Amino acid sequence: YLFTLMPFDNEIVLIDKMKGADLLEILTQKKADGTAIEFTSKPDINGAKKIGDDWYLADGTTKIEATGEYKVICNDFMLTGGDKYSQFIPYSQDTNAFKFIGTPLRDAMVAQLQYEADSKEGATKDINVFFTSDLHGAFTGTNYATQKNQAGLSRIATVLQSKRAELDPLGKRSLTVDVGDTIQGAGSTCFIGNTDYAFPLLKGFEYLNFDAVVLGNHEFNFGIDNMLLAFNGEYKGANGTVTGQKVYTGAKLAGNVFQGEFTGDQNVTGTDHLLPEFKSYEIFERDSVRVAVIGMTNPGSDTWDAVKMREAGYYTESAIGATKRAIQEIKAGNLADVIVLAAHMSLGDSFARPGSGATSVLGDTYIRDNVDVFLGGHGHNPQTKLINGVKYGENKNAGGSLGIATIKVTK
C-alpha cells in the first residue's frame, strides 16, 4: 500500500536551523478551501503539538517562538516548495542550511512499521554490531608514510553509513565498535604526544558515533601517557586553555590492563586499578535489548612493549581471567541479554601465552557458554570462524573491510 500511496522516492532532509517564524507559518498554513491543516502524531513520535492557540515541541512544554531556531525534518519535495510550502524555498537555496539524510521517506515508514512489528512480545529482532579494527592511523585514502593507497576511515565511513541506513534505518538496533590498533601507522606519529591537536581517528570515531573503542597492542608503542593523551584528550580553546570537551565521548574498554606489579596470571584478582577512564565492559540498550560489550587488549604488550609498560607501572593479564570476571559481574547483576566480546587478538596465542588468542579464550567453557559473538583483530586477516560454537570475526587492516555481526534476539 505504501508504494501505491507514495510512488516517489522522496528523500528525508534535515534543516539544521529553521527560523521559528517560518516554522510557525508552515504549521498554521491553510488548505485551498481556507480550513486549517490538521497535524496529528503518535505519543511516542516526536512532533509539534498545538495547545490552545500556541504551538509546542513534542515535550508539550517548550513553546515554539518566532525568534527561535529549530531543527526541522521534511522531504526533498517540500524543501523545494512542493504543495505550496514556499517557506522552505530559501533553505533549499543555501546548501549549508540542509543535508540529505539519505533515506527515502517511504523506506523510513516501512522501517518504522517493521520496527513496531518486531517490538511485539515474542518477536525476533536483529541487533547489528558494526566493527572496525587495525586502522593503524589510516584516516584518508593515502598512507602518508609510504605514499601508497589505502582505504582509511574516511572510506570505510561511507560503507558504514550505507549499512546503517540499510540494516538499521531508525538507528535503534545497532552498535559500532573499534577493536584496536588505532594510533600507530600511516604517518600519524606527528599527532602522538601533541597537545595542540586531537588525534584524527578519535575525532573520526566521535563524528561517526562509535559507541566503544578497545585498545590494541600498538597503542602501547608510545608509552602509557601518550596513549592516554590520544584517547582521553580534550579540545583546547583559542587561547590554548583546556575546554573540558572530550575528543571522544564513547566507552573506552581495556579490562585486562592494570596498574601494579605483575606476578603471574594466576595471581591477578582484578582489584588493581584499570587505566584512567577505561572499563572492562559497557552496557548499551538497543530497543529494550541490553547488550554488554566486553573489551580486552592483547596481553602480548607485556612482551612487545615491556620497558614502557614497566616504566609506567602497568601490566596486562591473560584475557581469559579478565573476561571471566567481567561475565560473572554482568551475570550476577543481570545486566545484559547479549554479551559481545571485543578483543584485540587473532586466532592463535602470542608468545605461547594463554588468553592472547581467540582459540584459547574460547577454549574456556565458562566464556564460550556465555559469549554470543567474538569481535577480533590483530592479524589483519578478514575472516569469520566458528570456535567452540561461538562466531569469531576479524577485519582487514587500514579500513580494508567493515565487520558486521547480526545477533537475533527474541524477547
Side-chain angles (χ1 to χ4, degrees):
Y1 292 109
L2 279 172
F3 281 85
T4 300
L5 295 170
M6 303 180 66
F8 308 110
D9 291 327
N10 295 122
E11 286 195 43
I12 299 174
V13 177
L14 169 66
I15 299 174
D16 193 48
K17 294 180 180 179
M18 172 171 271
K19 295 177 182 179
D22 292 334
L23 178 57
L24 288 170
E25 189 174 339
I26 290 169
L27 293 171
T28 55
Q29 186 164 308
K30 303 290 186 180
K31 291 189 287 188
D33 61 3
T35 59
I37 298 174
E38 295 183 8
F39 291 85
T40 60
S41 65
K42 296 174 61 176
D44 60 335
I45 302 296
N46 289 336
K49 294 176 171 58
K50 188 175 184 182
I51 303 176
D53 293 329
D54 296 316
W55 285 91
Y56 290 79
L57 299 183
D59 59 13
T61 60
T62 305
K63 184 180 176 181
I64 298 176
E65 302 285 356
T67 55
E69 290 184 329
Y70 304 91
K71 290 182 182 293
V72 176
I73 288 178
C74 64
N75 62 52
D76 55 356
F77 174 68
M78 296 174 67
L79 182 69
T80 55
D83 281 344
K84 298 184 179 180
Y85 282 101
S86 59
Q87 301 87 348
F88 286 108
I89 293 177
Y91 299 94
S92 71
Q93 296 171 344
D94 180 1
T95 57
N96 294 317
F98 71 93
K99 64 178 179 180
F100 287 100
I101 302 298
T103 303
L105 179 60
R106 182 186 61 223
D107 293 355
M109 294 176 68
V110 171
Q112 178 65 31
L113 292 172
Q114 185 64 54
Y115 168 78
E116 293 176 3
D118 291 347
S119 296
K120 294 179 179 179
E121 186 175 352
T124 298
K125 60 190 74 173
D126 289 348
I127 303 297
N128 289 287
V129 184
F130 305 105
F131 67 103
T132 57
S133 73
D134 299 276
L135 285 164
H136 287 284
F139 190 87
T140 70
T142 300
N143 184 314
Y144 293 107
T146 65
Q147 295 302 308
K148 293 182 178 180
N149 291 331
Q150 60 187 10
L153 182 63
S154 60
R155 290 178 177 171
I156 204 69
T158 303
V159 181
L160 173 61
Q161 299 288 53
S162 174
K163 287 299 181 181
R164 281 174 172 170
E166 174 189 343
L167 300 176
D168 185 28
L170 300 181
K172 298 179 179 181
R173 292 180 180 159
S174 64
L175 291 165
T176 308
V177 180
D178 182 79
V179 196
D181 274 5
T182 299
I183 65 173
Q184 177 272 336
S188 61
T189 309
C190 61
F191 294 99
I192 299 298
N194 193 323
T195 58
D196 294 322
Y197 298 96
F199 198 87
L201 269 82
L202 273 300
K203 290 181 68 174
F205 290 159
E206 180 73 7
Y207 179 80
L208 293 169
N209 297 312
F210 272 59
D211 297 284
V213 296
V214 179
L215 292 183
N217 58 285
H218 279 287
E219 263 68 79
F220 297 90
N221 291 170
F222 309 101
I224 298 292
D225 289 343
N226 285 326
M227 177 185 70
L228 292 177
L229 178 63
F231 283 85
N232 298 349
E234 299 179 354
Y235 285 108
K236 285 189 173 182
N239 58 358
T241 58
V242 176
T243 63
Q245 179 187 357
K246 290 289 185 181
V247 174
Y248 177 69
T249 59
K252 291 168 283 192
L253 307 176
N256 59 332
V257 183
F258 297 96
Q259 186 174 29
E261 183 178 356
F262 182 66
T263 59
D265 286 322
Q266 71 278 5
N267 298 322
V268 178
T269 63
T271 55
D272 287 339
H273 292 296
L274 294 172
L275 289 160
E277 300 186 27
F278 279 78
K279 302 177 179 180
S280 297
Y281 63 88
E282 186 68 77
I283 307 295
F284 302 93
E285 185 167 327
R286 295 293 184 268
D287 188 21
S288 77
V289 177
R290 300 166 302 164
V291 182
V293 179
I294 299 173
M296 298 289 158
T297 193
N298 194 307
S301 292
D302 266 353
T303 302
W304 290 307
D305 287 298
V307 174
K308 292 183 176 66
M309 294 286 286
R310 298 297 179 267
E311 286 177 346
Y314 281 86
Y315 66 89
T316 62
E317 178 195 5
S318 161
I320 295 174
T323 300
K324 288 176 72 173
R325 285 195 306 274
I327 294 173
Q328 288 164 353
E329 187 173 317
I330 293 167
K331 302 288 282 187
N334 188 27
L335 302 178
D337 305 301
V338 172
I339 297 180
V340 175
L341 176 56
H344 187 80
M345 56 189 67
S346 195
L347 301 179
D349 287 331
S350 301
F351 307 109
R353 185 179 182 184
S356 58
T359 302
S360 66
V361 171
L362 293 175
D364 183 272
T365 304
Y366 183 76
I367 293 176
R368 70 176 182 240
D369 287 348
N370 287 285
V371 166
D372 294 289
V373 67
F374 192 129
L375 313 181
H378 186 60
H380 302 183
N381 180 23
Q383 61 178 318
T384 59
K385 190 177 181 67
L386 195 64
I387 306 174
N388 292 325
V390 179
K391 182 62 72 71
Y392 169 89
E394 183 179 333
N395 275 302
K396 186 172 176 56
N397 60 307
S401 65
L402 173 70
I404 306 173
T406 301
I407 305 168
K408 295 188 177 293
V409 182
T410 302
K411 289 192 69 177

Coordinates of all heavy atoms in Angstrom, one line a residue, residues 311-388:
E311 N 58.0 0.8 33.1 CA 58.3 2.2 33.5 C 57.0 2.9 34.0 O 57.1 3.7 34.9 CB 58.9 3.0 32.3 CG 60.3 2.6 32.0 CD 60.9 3.3 30.8 OE1 60.1 3.9 30.1 OE2 62.1 3.3 30.6
A312 N 55.9 2.6 33.3 CA 54.7 3.3 33.7 C 54.0 2.6 34.9 O 53.0 3.1 35.5 CB 53.7 3.4 32.5
G313 N 54.5 1.4 35.3 CA 53.9 0.7 36.4 C 52.6 -0.1 36.0 O 51.7 -0.2 36.9
Y314 N 52.5 -0.5 34.7 CA 51.3 -1.2 34.3 C 51.7 -2.6 33.8 O 52.8 -2.9 33.5 CB 50.6 -0.5 33.2 CG 49.7 0.7 33.6 CD1 50.3 1.9 33.8 CD2 48.4 0.5 33.9 CE1 49.5 3.0 34.3 CE2 47.6 1.6 34.4 CZ 48.2 2.8 34.5 OH 47.4 3.9 35.0
Y315 N 50.7 -3.5 33.8 CA 50.9 -4.9 33.3 C 49.5 -5.3 32.6 O 48.5 -4.8 32.9 CB 51.3 -5.8 34.4 CG 50.2 -6.1 35.4 CD1 49.3 -7.1 35.3 CD2 50.1 -5.3 36.6 CE1 48.3 -7.3 36.2 CE2 49.2 -5.5 37.5 CZ 48.2 -6.6 37.4 OH 47.3 -6.8 38.3
T316 N 49.6 -6.3 31.8 CA 48.5 -6.9 31.2 C 48.2 -8.3 31.8 O 49.2 -9.0 32.2 CB 48.6 -7.1 29.6 OG1 49.7 -7.9 29.4 CG2 48.8 -5.7 29.0
E317 N 47.0 -8.7 31.8 CA 46.6 -10.0 32.2 C 46.1 -10.8 31.1 O 45.6 -10.3 30.1 CB 45.5 -9.9 33.3 CG 44.9 -11.2 33.8 CD 43.6 -11.1 34.6 OE1 43.1 -10.0 34.6 OE2 43.2 -12.1 35.1
S318 N 46.2 -12.1 31.2 CA 45.5 -13.0 30.2 C 44.1 -12.6 30.0 O 43.4 -12.3 31.0 CB 45.6 -14.5 30.6 OG 44.7 -15.3 30.0
A319 N 43.6 -12.6 28.8 CA 42.2 -12.2 28.6 C 41.2 -13.3 29.1 O 40.0 -13.0 29.3 CB 41.9 -12.0 27.1
I320 N 41.7 -14.4 29.5 CA 40.8 -15.5 30.0 C 40.2 -15.1 31.4 O 39.0 -15.0 31.6 CB 41.5 -16.8 30.0 CG1 41.8 -17.3 28.6 CG2 40.6 -17.9 30.7 CD1 42.7 -18.6 28.6
G321 N 41.1 -14.8 32.3 CA 40.7 -14.5 33.6 C 39.9 -13.2 33.7 O 38.9 -13.1 34.4
A322 N 40.4 -12.1 32.9 CA 39.7 -10.9 33.0 C 38.3 -10.9 32.3 O 37.3 -10.3 32.8 CB 40.5 -9.8 32.2
T323 N 38.2 -11.7 31.3 CA 36.9 -11.9 30.6 C 35.9 -12.6 31.5 O 34.7 -12.3 31.6 CB 37.0 -12.6 29.3 OG1 37.9 -11.8 28.4 CG2 35.7 -12.8 28.6
K324 N 36.4 -13.7 32.2 CA 35.5 -14.4 33.1 C 35.0 -13.6 34.2 O 33.8 -13.6 34.6 CB 36.3 -15.6 33.7 CG 36.6 -16.7 32.7 CD 37.4 -17.9 33.2 CE 36.7 -18.7 34.2 NZ 37.4 -19.9 34.6
R325 N 35.9 -12.7 34.8 CA 35.4 -11.8 35.9 C 34.3 -10.9 35.4 O 33.3 -10.6 36.0 CB 36.6 -11.1 36.5 CG 37.5 -11.9 37.4 CD 38.4 -11.0 38.2 NE 39.1 -10.1 37.4 CZ 40.3 -10.3 36.8 NH1 40.8 -11.5 37.0 NH2 40.9 -9.4 36.1
A326 N 34.5 -10.3 34.1 CA 33.6 -9.4 33.6 C 32.2 -10.1 33.4 O 31.2 -9.5 33.7 CB 34.1 -8.8 32.3
I327 N 32.2 -11.3 32.8 CA 31.0 -12.0 32.6 C 30.3 -12.3 33.9 O 29.1 -12.2 34.0 CB 31.3 -13.3 31.8 CG1 31.8 -13.0 30.4 CG2 30.0 -14.2 31.7 CD1 32.3 -14.2 29.6
Q328 N 31.1 -12.7 34.9 CA 30.5 -13.1 36.2 C 29.8 -11.9 36.8 O 28.7 -12.0 37.4 CB 31.6 -13.6 37.1 CG 32.1 -15.0 36.8 CD 33.4 -15.4 37.5 OE1 34.0 -14.5 38.1 NE2 33.8 -16.6 37.3
E329 N 30.4 -10.7 36.7 CA 29.8 -9.5 37.2 C 28.5 -9.1 36.4 O 27.5 -8.7 37.0 CB 30.8 -8.3 37.1 CG 30.3 -7.0 37.8 CD 31.4 -6.0 37.8 OE1 32.6 -6.3 38.1 OE2 31.1 -4.8 37.5
I330 N 28.6 -9.3 35.1 CA 27.4 -9.0 34.3 C 26.2 -9.9 34.6 O 25.1 -9.5 34.8 CB 27.7 -9.1 32.8 CG1 28.7 -8.0 32.4 CG2 26.5 -9.0 31.9 CD1 29.4 -8.1 31.1
K331 N 26.6 -11.2 34.8 CA 25.5 -12.2 35.1 C 25.0 -12.1 36.5 O 23.8 -12.2 36.7 CB 26.1 -13.6 34.9 CG 26.7 -13.9 33.5 CD 25.6 -14.1 32.5 CE 25.0 -15.5 32.6 NZ 24.0 -15.7 31.5
A332 N 25.9 -11.8 37.4 CA 25.4 -11.6 38.8 C 24.4 -10.4 39.0 O 23.5 -10.5 39.8 CB 26.6 -11.4 39.7
G333 N 24.6 -9.4 38.2 CA 23.8 -8.2 38.3 C 22.6 -8.3 37.3 O 21.8 -7.3 37.2
N334 N 22.5 -9.4 36.5 CA 21.5 -9.5 35.4 C 21.5 -8.2 34.6 O 20.5 -7.6 34.4 CB 20.1 -9.7 36.1 CG 19.1 -10.1 35.0 OD1 19.4 -10.6 33.9 ND2 17.8 -9.8 35.3
L335 N 22.7 -7.9 34.1 CA 22.8 -6.6 33.4 C 22.6 -6.6 31.9 O 22.4 -5.6 31.3 CB 24.2 -6.0 33.7 CG 24.6 -5.8 35.1 CD1 26.1 -5.3 35.2 CD2 23.7 -4.9 35.8
A336 N 22.6 -7.8 31.3 CA 22.6 -7.9 29.8 C 21.8 -9.1 29.3 O 21.8 -10.1 30.0 CB 24.0 -7.9 29.3
D337 N 21.3 -8.9 28.1 CA 20.6 -10.0 27.4 C 21.6 -10.7 26.4 O 21.4 -11.8 26.0 CB 19.4 -9.5 26.7 CG 18.4 -8.8 27.6 OD1 17.9 -9.4 28.6 OD2 18.2 -7.6 27.3
V338 N 22.5 -9.9 25.9 CA 23.5 -10.3 24.9 C 24.9 -9.9 25.4 O 25.1 -8.8 26.0 CB 23.2 -9.7 23.6 CG1 24.3 -9.9 22.6 CG2 21.9 -10.1 23.0
I339 N 25.9 -10.8 25.2 CA 27.3 -10.4 25.6 C 28.2 -10.5 24.4 O 28.3 -11.6 23.7 CB 27.8 -11.4 26.7 CG1 27.0 -11.2 28.0 CG2 29.3 -11.1 27.0 CD1 27.5 -12.0 29.2
V340 N 28.8 -9.4 24.0 CA 29.7 -9.3 22.9 C 31.1 -9.2 23.5 O 31.4 -8.3 24.3 CB 29.4 -8.1 22.0 CG1 30.5 -8.0 20.9 CG2 28.0 -8.3 21.4
L341 N 32.1 -10.0 23.0 CA 33.5 -9.9 23.4 C 34.2 -9.3 22.3 O 34.3 -9.8 21.2 CB 34.1 -11.3 23.8 CG 35.6 -11.3 24.1 CD1 35.9 -10.4 25.3 CD2 36.0 -12.7 24.5
A342 N 34.8 -8.1 22.5 CA 35.6 -7.4 21.5 C 37.1 -7.4 22.1 O 37.4 -6.7 23.0 CB 35.1 -6.0 21.3
A343 N 37.9 -8.2 21.5 CA 39.3 -8.4 22.0 C 40.3 -8.3 20.8 O 40.1 -8.9 19.8 CB 39.4 -9.7 22.7
H344 N 41.3 -7.5 21.1 CA 42.3 -7.3 20.0 C 43.3 -8.5 19.9 O 44.4 -8.5 20.4 CB 43.1 -6.0 20.3 CG 44.0 -5.7 19.1 ND1 43.6 -5.1 18.0 CD2 45.4 -5.9 18.9 CE1 44.6 -4.9 17.1 NE2 45.7 -5.4 17.7
M345 N 42.8 -9.5 19.3 CA 43.6 -10.8 19.1 C 43.0 -11.6 17.9 O 41.8 -11.5 17.6 CB 43.6 -11.6 20.4 CG 42.2 -12.0 20.9 SD 42.3 -12.8 22.6 CE 42.9 -11.4 23.6
S346 N 43.9 -12.3 17.3 CA 43.5 -13.2 16.2 C 43.3 -14.6 16.8 O 43.0 -14.7 18.0 CB 44.6 -13.2 15.1 OG 44.1 -13.8 13.9
L347 N 43.5 -15.6 16.0 CA 43.2 -16.9 16.5 C 44.2 -17.5 17.4 O 43.8 -18.0 18.5 CB 43.0 -17.9 15.3 CG 41.9 -17.5 14.2 CD1 41.9 -18.5 13.1 CD2 40.6 -17.4 14.9
G348 N 45.5 -17.4 17.1 CA 46.5 -18.1 17.9 C 47.0 -17.2 19.0 O 46.9 -15.9 19.0
D349 N 47.6 -17.8 20.0 CA 48.2 -17.1 21.2 C 49.6 -16.4 20.7 O 50.2 -16.9 19.8 CB 48.5 -18.0 22.3 CG 47.3 -18.4 23.1 OD1 46.3 -17.6 23.0 OD2 47.2 -19.5 23.6
S350 N 49.9 -15.3 21.4 CA 51.2 -14.6 21.2 C 52.2 -15.1 22.3 O 51.8 -15.1 23.5 CB 51.0 -13.1 21.3 OG 50.1 -12.7 20.3
F351 N 53.4 -15.5 21.9 CA 54.4 -15.9 22.8 C 53.9 -17.1 23.7 O 54.4 -17.2 24.8 CB 54.9 -14.8 23.7 CG 55.3 -13.6 22.9 CD1 54.5 -12.4 22.9 CD2 56.5 -13.6 22.1 CE1 54.9 -11.3 22.2 CE2 56.9 -12.5 21.4 CZ 56.1 -11.3 21.4
A352 N 53.1 -17.9 23.1 CA 52.6 -19.1 23.8 C 51.9 -18.7 25.1 O 51.8 -19.6 26.0 CB 53.7 -20.1 24.0
R353 N 51.4 -17.5 25.2 CA 50.7 -17.1 26.5 C 49.2 -17.3 26.3 O 48.6 -16.7 25.5 CB 51.0 -15.6 26.8 CG 50.4 -15.2 28.1 CD 50.7 -13.7 28.4 NE 50.2 -13.3 29.7 CZ 50.2 -12.1 30.2 NH1 50.8 -11.1 29.4 NH2 49.8 -11.7 31.3
P354 N 48.6 -18.2 27.1 CA 47.2 -18.5 27.0 C 46.4 -17.2 27.3 O 46.8 -16.4 28.1 CB 47.0 -19.5 28.1 CG 48.3 -20.2 28.3 CD 49.3 -19.1 28.1
G355 N 45.3 -17.0 26.5 CA 44.5 -15.9 26.7 C 44.9 -14.7 25.8 O 44.4 -13.6 26.1
S356 N 45.8 -14.9 24.9 CA 46.2 -13.9 23.9 C 45.7 -14.2 22.5 O 46.0 -13.4 21.6 CB 47.7 -13.6 23.9 OG 48.4 -14.8 23.6
G357 N 44.9 -15.2 22.4 CA 44.3 -15.6 21.1 C 42.9 -16.1 21.3 O 42.6 -16.6 22.3
A358 N 42.1 -15.9 20.2 CA 40.7 -16.2 20.4 C 40.4 -17.7 20.7 O 39.5 -18.1 21.4 CB 39.9 -15.8 19.1
T359 N 41.3 -18.6 20.1 CA 41.1 -20.0 20.3 C 41.2 -20.4 21.7 O 40.4 -21.2 22.3 CB 42.1 -20.8 19.4 OG1 41.9 -20.4 18.0 CG2 41.8 -22.3 19.6
S360 N 42.2 -19.9 22.4 CA 42.4 -20.2 23.8 C 41.4 -19.6 24.7 O 41.0 -20.1 25.7 CB 43.9 -19.9 24.3 OG 44.1 -18.5 24.3
V361 N 41.0 -18.3 24.4 CA 40.0 -17.7 25.2 C 38.7 -18.4 25.1 O 38.0 -18.7 26.1 CB 39.8 -16.2 24.7 CG1 38.6 -15.6 25.4 CG2 41.0 -15.4 25.0
L362 N 38.3 -18.8 23.9 CA 37.0 -19.6 23.7 C 37.2 -21.0 24.0 O 36.2 -21.8 24.0 CB 36.5 -19.4 22.3 CG 36.0 -18.0 22.0 CD1 35.6 -17.8 20.5 CD2 34.9 -17.5 22.9
G363 N 38.4 -21.4 24.4 CA 38.6 -22.8 24.9 C 38.1 -22.9 26.4 O 38.0 -24.0 26.9
D364 N 37.9 -21.8 27.0 CA 37.4 -21.8 28.4 C 35.9 -22.0 28.3 O 35.1 -21.3 27.7 CB 37.7 -20.4 29.1 CG 37.2 -20.4 30.5 OD1 36.0 -20.0 30.7 OD2 38.0 -20.8 31.4
T365 N 35.4 -23.0 29.0 CA 34.0 -23.4 28.9 C 33.0 -22.3 29.4 O 32.0 -22.1 28.7 CB 33.7 -24.7 29.8 OG1 34.6 -25.7 29.3 CG2 32.3 -25.2 29.6
Y366 N 33.4 -21.7 30.5 CA 32.5 -20.6 31.0 C 32.4 -19.4 30.0 O 31.3 -18.9 29.8 CB 33.0 -20.1 32.3 CG 32.1 -19.0 33.0 CD1 31.0 -19.4 33.6 CD2 32.5 -17.7 32.9 CE1 30.1 -18.5 34.2 CE2 31.6 -16.7 33.5 CZ 30.5 -17.1 34.2 OH 29.7 -16.2 34.8
I367 N 33.5 -19.0 29.4 CA 33.4 -17.9 28.4 C 32.6 -18.3 27.2 O 31.7 -17.6 26.8 CB 34.8 -17.5 28.0 CG1 35.6 -16.9 29.2 CG2 34.8 -16.5 26.9 CD1 37.0 -16.5 28.9
R368 N 32.9 -19.5 26.6 CA 32.2 -19.8 25.4 C 30.7 -20.1 25.6 O 29.9 -19.9 24.7 CB 32.8 -21.0 24.7 CG 32.7 -22.3 25.4 CD 33.3 -23.4 24.6 NE 33.2 -24.7 25.1 CZ 34.3 -25.5 25.4 NH1 35.5 -25.0 25.3 NH2 34.1 -26.7 25.9
D369 N 30.3 -20.5 26.8 CA 28.9 -20.7 27.1 C 28.1 -19.4 27.3 O 26.9 -19.4 27.4 CB 28.8 -21.6 28.4 CG 29.1 -23.0 28.1 OD1 29.3 -23.4 26.9 OD2 29.3 -23.8 29.1
N370 N 28.8 -18.3 27.5 CA 28.2 -17.0 27.8 C 28.4 -15.9 26.8 O 27.7 -14.9 26.9 CB 28.6 -16.6 29.2 CG 28.0 -17.4 30.4 OD1 26.8 -17.3 30.7 ND2 28.8 -18.3 30.9
V371 N 29.4 -16.1 25.9 CA 29.6 -15.0 24.9 C 28.8 -15.4 23.7 O 28.8 -16.5 23.2 CB 31.1 -14.9 24.6 CG1 31.4 -14.2 23.4 CG2 31.9 -14.3 25.8
D372 N 28.2 -14.4 23.1 CA 27.4 -14.6 21.9 C 28.1 -14.4 20.6 O 27.8 -15.0 19.6 CB 26.2 -13.6 21.9 CG 25.2 -14.0 23.1 OD1 24.5 -15.0 23.0 OD2 25.2 -13.2 24.0
V373 N 29.1 -13.5 20.6 CA 30.0 -13.3 19.4 C 31.3 -12.7 19.8 O 31.4 -12.0 20.9 CB 29.2 -12.3 18.4 CG1 29.1 -10.9 19.0 CG2 29.9 -12.3 17.1
F374 N 32.4 -13.0 19.1 CA 33.7 -12.5 19.4 C 34.2 -11.7 18.2 O 34.3 -12.1 17.1 CB 34.6 -13.8 19.5 CG 36.0 -13.5 20.1 CD1 36.5 -14.2 21.2 CD2 36.8 -12.5 19.6 CE1 37.7 -14.0 21.7 CE2 38.1 -12.2 20.1 CZ 38.5 -13.0 21.2
L375 N 34.4 -10.4 18.5 CA 34.9 -9.4 17.5 C 36.4 -9.3 17.7 O 36.9 -8.9 18.8 CB 34.3 -8.0 17.7 CG 32.8 -8.0 17.9 CD1 32.3 -6.5 18.0 CD2 32.1 -8.6 16.7
G376 N 37.2 -9.8 16.8 CA 38.6 -9.9 16.9 C 39.4 -8.8 16.1 O 38.8 -7.9 15.6
G377 N 40.7 -9.1 16.0 CA 41.6 -8.2 15.2 C 43.0 -8.7 15.2 O 43.2 -9.9 15.4
H378 N 43.9 -7.7 15.1 CA 45.4 -8.0 15.3 C 46.0 -8.7 14.1 O 47.1 -8.4 13.7 CB 45.6 -8.8 16.6 CG 47.0 -9.0 16.9 ND1 47.9 -8.0 17.2 CD2 47.7 -10.2 17.1 CE1 49.1 -8.5 17.5 NE2 49.0 -9.8 17.4
G379 N 45.4 -9.7 13.5 CA 46.0 -10.5 12.4 C 45.9 -9.9 11.0 O 46.5 -10.4 10.1
H380 N 45.1 -8.9 10.9 CA 44.9 -8.2 9.6 C 44.3 -9.2 8.5 O 44.5 -9.0 7.3 CB 46.2 -7.6 9.0 CG 46.8 -6.6 9.9 ND1 47.9 -5.9 9.6 CD2 46.4 -6.1 11.2 CE1 48.2 -5.0 10.6 NE2 47.3 -5.2 11.6
N381 N 43.6 -10.2 9.0 CA 43.2 -11.2 8.1 C 41.6 -11.3 8.1 O 41.1 -11.8 9.1 CB 43.7 -12.6 8.5 CG 43.3 -13.7 7.6 OD1 42.9 -13.5 6.4 ND2 43.3 -14.9 8.1
P382 N 41.0 -10.7 7.1 CA 39.5 -10.7 7.1 C 38.9 -12.1 7.1 O 39.2 -12.9 6.1 CB 39.1 -9.9 5.9 CG 40.3 -10.0 5.0 CD 41.5 -10.1 5.9
Q383 N 38.3 -12.5 8.2 CA 37.8 -13.9 8.2 C 36.7 -14.0 9.3 O 36.5 -13.2 10.2 CB 38.9 -14.9 8.7 CG 39.5 -14.5 10.0 CD 40.6 -15.5 10.5 OE1 40.5 -16.7 10.3 NE2 41.7 -15.0 11.0
T384 N 35.9 -15.1 9.1 CA 34.9 -15.5 10.1 C 35.2 -17.0 10.4 O 35.5 -17.7 9.5 CB 33.5 -15.3 9.7 OG1 33.2 -16.0 8.5 CG2 33.2 -13.8 9.4
K385 N 35.0 -17.3 11.6 CA 35.3 -18.7 12.0 C 34.4 -19.1 13.2 O 34.2 -18.3 14.1 CB 36.8 -18.9 12.4 CG 37.2 -20.3 12.5 CD 38.7 -20.4 12.8 CE 39.2 -21.8 13.0 NZ 39.1 -22.6 11.7
L386 N 33.9 -20.3 13.2 CA 33.2 -20.8 14.4 C 34.2 -21.5 15.3 O 34.8 -22.5 15.0 CB 32.1 -21.8 13.9 CG 31.0 -22.1 15.0 CD1 30.2 -20.8 15.3 CD2 30.0 -23.2 14.4
I387 N 34.3 -21.0 16.5 CA 35.2 -21.6 17.5 C 34.5 -22.0 18.7 O 33.9 -21.2 19.5 CB 36.3 -20.5 18.0 CG1 37.0 -19.9 16.7 CG2 37.3 -21.1 18.9 CD1 38.0 -18.8 17.1
N388 N 34.4 -23.3 18.9 CA 33.7 -23.9 20.0 C 32.2 -23.4 20.1 O 31.7 -23.1 21.2 CB 34.4 -23.7 21.3 CG 35.7 -24.5 21.4 OD1 35.8 -25.6 20.9 ND2 36.7 -23.9 22.0

